[in-house]
C-alpha cells in the first residue's frame, strides 16, 4: 500500500479541521428566538433600532458579534446603526452571535428588519375609523437603569398601534417626566413611536414613571385608547448604609455573664428595600483597648453582646468599638460606613472590703460610756462613695452584753468602735471582739466565692481600773409587806456594796422618793420599817409595785441610786359593795331586776359573791326572793301578789373569804312600761313635797307676824286713847300663799266673800293684800276697806300686786298707810311700855 503523498496529507488535514469546526458548530451553535424590528427606510448613524434579551438566549456572554457591519450590538442587547443605513429591500436580516469561551458555547439570534412600503392615506372627514373593542396595542414591560451613563437620548422602547397599518398615526405621551416634574425627562418620536429618556434618573427620588401613550390621526382623531405606560427605574447600589448615630454610648456591669446584651446599633440604606442593595451586615472593625476581645455583634440585628466574663472595671472602665455596616450582605464590593460605640463598664461589688491588719488593740477606763476607743481602716477596690465601696461593720463575737457599738465613718469608710455601756474592771480586765466587714451592696461574684464574703479581724479591749463609788446592784430590789401591817414593822431593805472591797460597810442609805411616805430606812443597815399603815387599795393601779427610790452614799460622798420595789400583799379588809341604790321594776313587763357588787380587794379575797336577804320582815321574805346570776351579780324577783309601792329591802353580800356587808335597796314596784316613767314621777313628787314644806314655813312666819302686830296694837290702844283710824277695823290680813289644788275662801269683817283658784290660773279678790310666795319673794300689805281685789295674778312665777276694786276705781295710794306713818305711831308707845315695865 503506497503511502499518501503531501497533497493528499494536506487535503486530509483540511478536511479534518473542517469536520471539527462543523462538529463544534453543530454541537454548540444553537439558534435562539428570532427578533423582528420594524424600521423606517432611512436610519441615521448611532440610531437605536431595538433591544434584544441576550441573557434569555445565553446566560454568560463574553463575546458579542454582528454578522452585518452596518449594525452593532451592546452588552445590554441594544442594537444601533453603525452609520447611516438606507434599506433598499423590504426585508433585511443579520445574525447576532453570542459566545461563552469558558464553556465553549455559542448561540445565534436572527434579527429581521422589515420595511413595508405602504401607501398611507389621510382619513376623510366623513370616514369613520373602526375602533377595536379589544385593545391591540400594548407595550413591552419597560425599565431603565438608575444613573444610566447613556448615551442620551436613551432609547427605551417603541410604541405601535394597529391602526398604523391603514392610517398615518402620530404618537404622544403625558405624565410625570413629560409635562409634570421632572419636565422633559421622556419624549416619543411622533412618527415612529420610539420612546427616549433624556438624562439619568435617581431611583431614590423617582422609582417609577406612570406615562400615558396616545395614538391619533393627522386630524387629531384618537385611533386607539390611551395606553398606560409604566417605566420602572431599576435600582443601582449607589447609597451607602448610614448608622442612625455617629457615636453610641452603652453601659454594661462588670463581671457580666457571657451573652449579656450591651446595646443595639442600627443603620439605614436608601436603596431599594428587600434587595441585595439593602441587605446589611454588621461587624466590629476595632476594639480599644485591643486585647482581649470582649464583645461581638450579631451580623443581621446589630445586637452587641459580651463574649467574655473578664470585664473588670478596676482594670479597664471604658471600651471603644469601631462598628462597620456593609450592604450587599457584607460582600467585599458592597458599600459600607462606620460608627463609634463607647461602652462604659459599670461598677459591681466584685471586690471584698479587707482589713489592713488581722488584729487590733484598744484600751478604755471602766465606767466610761459614749467614747470612741478605736478606728479600723479597710481597703476596697470598688468605685469610691458607692454602695459597692461603703462598708458595714459588725461585731460578730464578744459583745453579748452590749457594751460596744461599731459604726462607719461616711467620709473615710473607717470602722469606729465605741463603748456604749460601762465596763467593770472587777468583772473583766480585757475583752476580745471579733469584727466583720461587708459592703452595703451584696457581693456579685460566683457562689463559691460568696462563702467567704466577710473579712474578719480581732480587737482586744483592755479595761483600766478606776476608783469608783458604791454600786447599786441589782438596781431594782424586791421586798414583800402585808397591807395593814402594824406601824414600825421591820423588813429587810436595800443593799449596795463597794465594788473594790465587795462589802457594804461604811455605806449610808437615804430615801429620795416615797410616794405615800409609808416607809422609813435605816441609815446604816438599809433595812426599812413601816411608818404608816399600808393600804393596797390606794395604789393605782392596785396590782402594781410600790416603788421607792433609795440612794447609797460612801464615805467620800460618791453615791448610786436604786429602786426598792415593794409588793404589798392583800388582806381581806374590804367587803363587797353593791353598786345599785334605787331600782325601778315595771310590773307589767318586768319580773325581776339584777344587782351587782364589786370588791376592792385582790381576786383571792373577792368573787364569787354570795347574795341573800338580810334581817328582813316576814312581808319582804314573802314577796321577794334573791337568786344567783354569776360570780358578781344576783337577781331580785317579786311575787305576783306584790302591791305597787316602794319597798326597802336589805341585801347582804359576802366574798369568798367570808367578809360581808349589808345594803338596803330602795325598790319601786311601779305600774309602768318603762322604768324612766317612774323615775320621773319620783323626782316630781320630791319637788312638790319641798314646796309644801316651804309654804308651811312661810305661813308660820306670817302667823307669828300677825300675832305680834295684834299684841302691839292692843297695848298701844290700851295705853293711849288715840286709836287706829276708824276704817282699820274693817281691814283684814289675808295670807294667800297656797299652791295646793282647791279653793281658798276668806270672809272679811263686812261679810264679803273672797275666793282664790288653783295654781293653773290664780286670781285673788279680797279685802287685804296677800302674802304670795314666788321664788322666795313675799309681800304682805295692809289695805284699807273691804272692797279691794287683786286684779291680776297670772300664775306661779310672777310678782303679784294689790289694787283697789272699790266701785271699779283705783284708790291704792289714798287707802294705804306708809311704813313711816306706822313707825311714827308705834315707836313712842312701845318706848313708853318699855319704861313702865322697867319702873314697875
Amino acid at each position: 500500500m503506497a503511502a499518501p503523498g503531501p497533497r493528499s496529507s494536506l487535503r486530509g488535514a483540511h478536511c479534518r479541521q473542517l469536520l471539527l469546526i462543523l462538529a463544534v458548530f453543530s454541537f454548540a451553535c444553537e439558534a435562539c428566538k428570532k427578533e423582528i424590528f420594524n424600521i423606517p427606510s432611512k436610519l441615521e448613524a448611532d440610531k437605536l433600532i431595538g433591544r434584544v434579551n441576550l441573557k434569555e438566549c445565553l446566560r454568560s456572554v463574553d463575546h458579542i458579534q454582528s454578522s452585518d457591519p452596518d449594525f452593532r450590538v451592546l452588552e445590554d442587547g441594544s442594537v444601533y446603526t453603525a452609520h447611516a443605513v438606507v434599506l433598499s429591500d423590504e426585508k433585511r436580516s443579520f445574525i447576532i452571535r453570542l459566545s461563552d469561551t469558558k464553556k465553549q458555547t455559542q448561540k445565534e439570534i436572527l434579527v429581521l428588519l422589515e420595511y413595508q412600503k405602504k401607501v398611507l392615506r389621510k382619513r376623510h372627514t366623513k370616514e369613520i375609523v373602526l375602533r377595536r373593542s379589544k385593545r391591540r396595542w400594548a407595550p413591552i414591560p419597560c425599565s431603565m437603569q438608575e444613573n444610566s451613563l447613556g448615551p442620551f437620548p436613551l432609547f427605551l422602547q417603541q410604541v405601535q398601534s394597529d391602526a398604523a397599518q391603514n392610517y398615518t398615526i402620530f404618537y404622544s405621551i403625558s405624565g410625570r417626566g413629560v409635562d409634570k416634574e421632572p419636565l422633559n425627562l421622556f419624549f416619543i418620536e411622533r412618527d415612529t413611536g420610539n420612546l427616549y429618556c433624556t438624562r439619568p434618573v435617581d431611583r431614590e427620588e423617582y422609582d417609577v414613571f406612570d406615562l400615558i401613550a396616545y395614538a391619533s390621526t393627522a386630524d387629531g382623531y384618537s385611533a386607539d385608547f390611551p395606553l398606560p405606560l409604566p417605566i420602572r427605574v431599576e435600582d443601582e447600589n449607589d447609597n451607602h448604609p448610614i448608622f442612625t448615630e455617629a457615636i453610641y454610648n452603652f453601659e454594661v456591669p462588670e463581671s457580666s455573664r457571657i451573652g449579656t446584651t450591651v446595646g443595639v446599633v442600627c443603620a439605614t440604606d436608601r436603596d431599594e428595600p428587600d434587595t441585595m442593595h439593602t441587605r446589611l451586615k454588621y461587624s466590629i472593625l476595632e476594639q480599644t483597648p485591643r486585647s482581649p476581645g470582649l464583645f461581638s455583634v450579631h451580623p443581621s440585628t446589630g445586637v452587641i453582646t459580651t463574649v467574655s466574663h473578664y470585664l473588670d472595671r478596676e482594670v479597664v472602665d471604658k471600651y471603644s468599638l469601631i462598628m462597620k455596616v456593609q450592604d450587599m450582605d457584607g460582600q467585599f464590593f458592597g458599600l459600607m460606613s462606620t460608627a463609634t460605640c463607647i461602652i462604659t463598664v459599670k461598677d459591681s461589688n466584685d471586690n471584698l472590703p479587707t482589713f489592713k491588719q488581722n488584729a487590733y488593740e484598744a484600751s478604755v477606763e471602766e465606767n466610761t460610756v459614749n467614747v470612741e476607743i478605736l478606728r479600723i481602716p479597710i481597703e476596697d477596690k470598688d468605685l469610691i462613695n458607692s454602695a459597692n465601696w461603703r462598708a458595714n461593720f459588725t461585731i460578730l463575737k464578744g459583745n453579748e452584753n452590749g457594751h460596744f457599738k461599731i459604726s462607719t465613718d461616711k467620709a473615710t469608710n473607717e470602722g469606729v468602735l465605741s463603748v456604749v455601756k460601762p465596763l467593770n474592771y472587777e468583772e473583766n480586765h480585757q475583752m476580745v471582739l471579733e469584727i466583720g466587714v461587708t459592703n452595703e451592696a451584696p457581693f456579685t461574684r460566683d457562689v463559691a466565692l460568696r462563702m467567704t464574703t466577710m473579712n474578719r479581724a480581732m480587737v482586744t479591749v483592755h479595761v483600766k481600773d478606776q476608783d469608783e463609788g458604791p454600786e447599786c446592784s441589782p438596781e431594782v430590789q424586791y421586798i414583800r409587806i402585808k397591807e395593814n401591817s402594824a406601824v414600825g414593822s421591820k423588813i429587810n431593805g436595800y443593799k449596795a456594796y463597794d465594788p473594790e472591797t465587795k462589802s457594804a460597810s461604811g455605806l449610808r442609805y437615804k430615801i429620795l422618793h416615797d410616794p405615800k411616805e409609808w416607809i422609813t430606812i435605816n441609815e446604816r443597815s438599809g433595812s426599812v420599817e413601816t411608818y404608816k399603815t399600808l393600804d393596797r387599795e390606794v395604789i393605782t393601779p392596785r396590782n402594781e409595785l410600790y416603788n421607792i427610790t433609795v440612794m447609797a452614799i460612801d464615805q467620800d460622798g460618791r453615791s448610786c441610786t436604786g429602786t426598792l420595789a415593794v409588793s404589798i400583799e392583800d388582806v381581806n379588809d374590804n367587803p363587797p359593795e353593791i353598786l345599785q341604790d334605787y331600782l325601778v321594776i315595771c310590773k307589767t313587763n318586768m319580773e325581776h331586776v339584777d344587782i351587782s357588787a364589786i370588791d376592792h380587794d385582790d381576786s383571792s379575797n373577792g368573787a364569787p359573791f354570795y347574795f341573800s336577804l338580810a334581817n328582813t320582815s316576814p312581808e319582804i321574805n314573802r314577796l321577794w326572793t334573791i337568786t344567783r346570776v354569776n360570780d358578781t351579780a344576783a337577781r331580785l324577783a317579786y311575787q305576783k301578789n306584790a302591791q305597787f309601792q316602794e319597798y326597802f329591802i336589805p341585801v347582804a353580800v359576802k366574798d369568798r373569804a367570808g367578809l360581808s356587808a349589808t345594803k338596803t335597796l330602795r325598790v319601786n314596784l311601779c305600774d309602768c312600761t318603762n322604768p324612766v316613767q317612774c323615775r320621773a314621777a319620783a323626782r316630781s313628787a320630791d319637788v312638790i313635797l319641798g314646796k309644801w314644806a316651804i309654804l308651811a314655813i312661810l305661813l308660820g312666819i306670817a302667823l307669828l307676824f300677825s300675832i305680834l302686830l295684834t299684841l302691839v296694837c292692843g297695848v298701844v290702844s290700851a295705853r293711849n286713847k288715840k286709836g287706829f283710824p276708824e276704817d282699820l277695823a274693817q281691814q283684814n290680813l289675808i295670807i294667800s300663799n297656797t299652791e295646793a289644788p282647791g279653793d281658798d275662801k276668806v270672809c272679811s269683817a263686812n261679810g264679803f266673800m273672797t275666793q282664790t283658784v288653783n295654781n293653773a290660773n290664780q286670781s285673788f279678790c279680797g279685802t287685804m293684800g296677800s302674802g304670795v310666795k314666788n321664788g322666795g319673794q313675799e309681800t304682805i300689805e295692809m289695805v284699807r276697806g273691804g272692797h279691794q281685789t287683786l286684779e291680776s295674778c297670772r300664775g306661779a312665777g310672777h310678782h303679784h300686786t294689790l289694787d283697789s276694786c272699790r266701785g271699779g276705781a283705783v284708790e291704792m295710794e289714798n287707802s294705804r298707810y306708809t311704813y313711816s306713818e306706822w313707825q311714827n305711831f308705834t315707836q313712842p308707845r312701845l318706848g313708853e311700855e318699855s319704861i313702865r315695865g322697867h319702873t314697875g
Side-chain angles (χ1 to χ4, degrees), residues 709-722:
L709 184 59
T710 304
L711 291 175
V712 170
C713 292
V715 172
V716 172
S717 177
R719 297 296 182 183
N720 194 344
K721 296 297 182 177
K722 185 179 180 179

Side-chain angles (χ1 to χ4, degrees), residues 39 53 56 68 80 115 126 135 140 142 153 175 214 459 477 485 623 762 782 826:
I39 61 174
N53 193 342
E56 185 178 357
D68 191 337
Y80 286 87
Y115 168 68
K126 295 183 179 181
R135 185 184 300 159
I140 300 172
C142 181
Y214 306 94
V459 177
Q477 301 178 21
S485 296
L623 297 177
Q762 295 179 5
M782 184 68 70
T826 57

Side-chain angles (χ1 to χ4, degrees), residues 605-649:
N605 295 317
F609 301 141
Y610 304 95
F611 295 86
S612 62
L613 299 175
N615 300 324
T616 57
S617 63
E619 182 184 3
I620 296 298
N621 285 328
R622 179 174 57 84
L623 297 177
W624 296 91
T625 60
I626 191 166
T627 57
R628 182 178 183 275
V629 174
N630 54 38
D631 287 350
T632 60
R635 181 162 295 162
L636 190 62
Y638 62 90
Q639 300 298 327
K640 298 296 183 182
N641 57 349
Q643 300 298 318
F644 294 113
Q645 67 177 63
E646 278 196 1
Y647 294 89
F648 294 90
I649 304 174

Side-chain angles (χ1 to χ4, degrees), residues 106-321:
Q106 188 175 16
K107 290 191 177 183
E108 292 181 351
I109 300 175
L110 178 62
V111 178
L112 181 62
L113 304 176
E114 292 185 354
Y115 168 68
Q116 185 176 1
K117 197 171 184 181
K118 301 175 184 177
V119 179
L120 300 177
R121 56 189 177 86
K122 290 186 178 181
R123 184 183 69 86
H124 194 269
T125 56
K126 295 183 179 181
E127 184 180 2
I128 299 175
V129 177
L130 179 64
R131 283 194 178 185
R132 303 179 185 273
S133 59
K134 184 176 180 181
R135 185 184 300 159
R136 298 296 297 274
W137 70 319
I140 300 172
C142 181
S143 64
M144 62 177 294
Q145 189 71 29
E146 176 187 17
N147 302 325
S148 175
L149 298 177
F152 296 101
L154 180 66
F155 175 78
L156 299 180
Q157 70 171 355
Q158 186 180 30
V159 178
Q160 287 185 330
S161 173
D162 292 346
Q165 297 177 3
N166 302 314
Y167 302 98
T168 301
I169 300 299
F170 299 104
Y171 299 95
S172 63
I173 57 175
S174 68
R176 190 173 67 172
V178 181
D179 52 0
K180 297 179 181 178
E181 289 293 337
L183 298 174
N184 303 321
L185 180 62
F186 300 99
F187 73 89
I188 192 169
E189 288 184 342
R190 184 168 179 264
D191 298 327
T192 64
N194 291 334
L195 181 65
Y196 295 91
C197 178
T198 62
R199 57 183 182 272
V201 178
D202 186 1
R203 188 206 68 84
E204 286 70 45
E205 189 174 1
Y206 305 104
D207 59 345
V208 66
F209 293 93
D210 293 315
L211 305 181
I212 303 295
Y214 306 94
S216 60
T217 61
D219 57 358
Y221 189 83
S222 296
D224 217 327
F225 291 108
L227 175 67
L229 191 63
I231 299 177
R232 180 177 172 271
V233 181
E234 294 183 357
D235 185 48
E236 181 184 32
N237 191 21
D238 59 339
N239 288 282
H240 290 258
I242 303 297
F243 281 100
T244 56
E245 297 182 28
I247 299 177
Y248 291 89
N249 289 281
F250 300 123
E251 292 182 344
V252 61
E254 65 176 330
S255 304
S256 295
R257 295 180 179 272
I258 295 175
T260 301
T261 299
V262 178
V264 181
V265 294
C266 182
T268 58
D269 196 319
R270 295 183 60 206
D271 289 324
E272 186 174 1
D274 301 323
T275 65
M276 290 292 290
H277 299 163
T278 55
R279 186 173 294 179
L280 307 181
K281 180 173 283 187
Y282 300 92
S283 60
I284 299 176
L285 285 181
E286 182 182 346
Q287 172 186 303
T288 305
R290 293 181 178 274
S291 179
L294 302 177
F295 307 97
S296 69
V297 62
H298 192 282
S300 300
T301 62
V303 176
I304 302 174
T305 56
T306 58
V307 295
S308 173
H309 59 269
Y310 292 110
L311 280 172
D312 192 347
R313 188 202 64 85
E314 289 72 40
V315 177
V316 179
D317 62 350
K318 188 171 291 187
Y319 292 89
S320 176
L321 304 180

Side-chain angles (χ1 to χ4, degrees), residues 762-836:
Q762 295 179 5
S763 178
F764 297 91
C765 290
T767 59
M768 187 176 178
S770 63
V772 182
K773 178 200 180 285
N774 180 16
Q777 183 176 3
E778 299 175 2
T779 60
I780 300 175
E781 297 180 352
M782 184 68 70
V783 183
R784 180 184 304 169
H787 300 285
Q788 290 79 10
T789 62
L790 185 63
E791 182 179 354
S792 176
C793 297
R794 297 179 182 176
H798 294 77
H799 178 67
H800 310 302
T801 60
L802 187 64
D803 294 337
S804 175
C805 300
R806 182 185 304 169
V810 179
E811 299 177 356
M812 183 67 185
E813 297 300 326
N814 296 326
S815 62
R816 181 177 299 173
Y817 291 103
T818 63
Y819 174 76
S820 59
E821 292 176 345
W822 284 106
Q823 189 177 24
N824 293 333
F825 175 74
T826 57
Q827 286 298 326
R829 289 160 179 77
L830 290 175
E832 294 175 0
E833 288 296 325
S834 178
I835 294 172
R836 290 174 183 173

Side-chain angles (χ1 to χ4, degrees), residues 595-773:
I595 60 175
S596 58
I598 60 171
D599 194 325
H600 298 291
D601 288 324
D602 189 60
S603 58
S604 60
N605 295 317
F609 301 141
Y610 304 95
F611 295 86
S612 62
L613 299 175
N615 300 324
T616 57
S617 63
E619 182 184 3
I620 296 298
N621 285 328
R622 179 174 57 84
L623 297 177
W624 296 91
T625 60
I626 191 166
T627 57
R628 182 178 183 275
V629 174
N630 54 38
D631 287 350
T632 60
R635 181 162 295 162
L636 190 62
Y638 62 90
Q639 300 298 327
K640 298 296 183 182
N641 57 349
Q643 300 298 318
F644 294 113
Q645 67 177 63
E646 278 196 1
Y647 294 89
F648 294 90
I649 304 174
V651 177
V653 58
K654 182 171 59 176
D655 61 22
R656 67 165 61 190
L659 189 61
S660 65
T662 301
K663 185 174 185 178
T664 299
L665 302 178
R666 180 182 163 202
V667 181
N668 187 357
L669 187 60
C670 183
D671 184 11
C672 60
T673 58
N674 192 322
V676 177
Q677 299 171 349
C678 287
R679 289 194 180 96
R683 285 194 295 268
S684 178
D686 291 342
V687 173
I688 292 172
L689 289 175
K691 291 182 177 180
W692 276 107
I694 295 172
L695 180 59
I697 294 171
L698 292 177
L699 288 174
I701 294 173
L703 183 60
L704 291 175
F705 182 75
S706 62
I707 294 172
L708 178 60
L709 184 59
T710 304
L711 291 175
V712 170
C713 292
V715 172
V716 172
S717 177
R719 297 296 182 183
N720 194 344
K721 296 297 182 177
K722 185 179 180 179
F724 286 95
E726 295 177 358
D727 59 352
L728 188 59
Q730 296 180 355
Q731 295 175 358
N732 296 281
L733 183 64
I734 300 174
I735 303 299
S736 178
N737 193 24
T738 60
E739 297 181 8
D743 299 333
D744 293 337
K745 298 180 180 179
V746 181
C747 293
S748 64
N750 58 9
F752 184 81
M753 182 65 70
T754 63
Q755 182 178 353
T756 62
V757 297
N758 57 22
N759 287 339
N761 186 11
Q762 295 179 5
S763 178
F764 297 91
C765 290
T767 59
M768 187 176 178
S770 63
V772 182
K773 178 200 180 285

Side-chain angles (χ1 to χ4, degrees), residues 458-470:
M458 305 303 294
V459 177
T460 301
V461 180
H462 299 282
V463 182
K464 296 181 179 180
D465 188 22
Q466 187 181 58
D467 188 12
E468 52 194 333

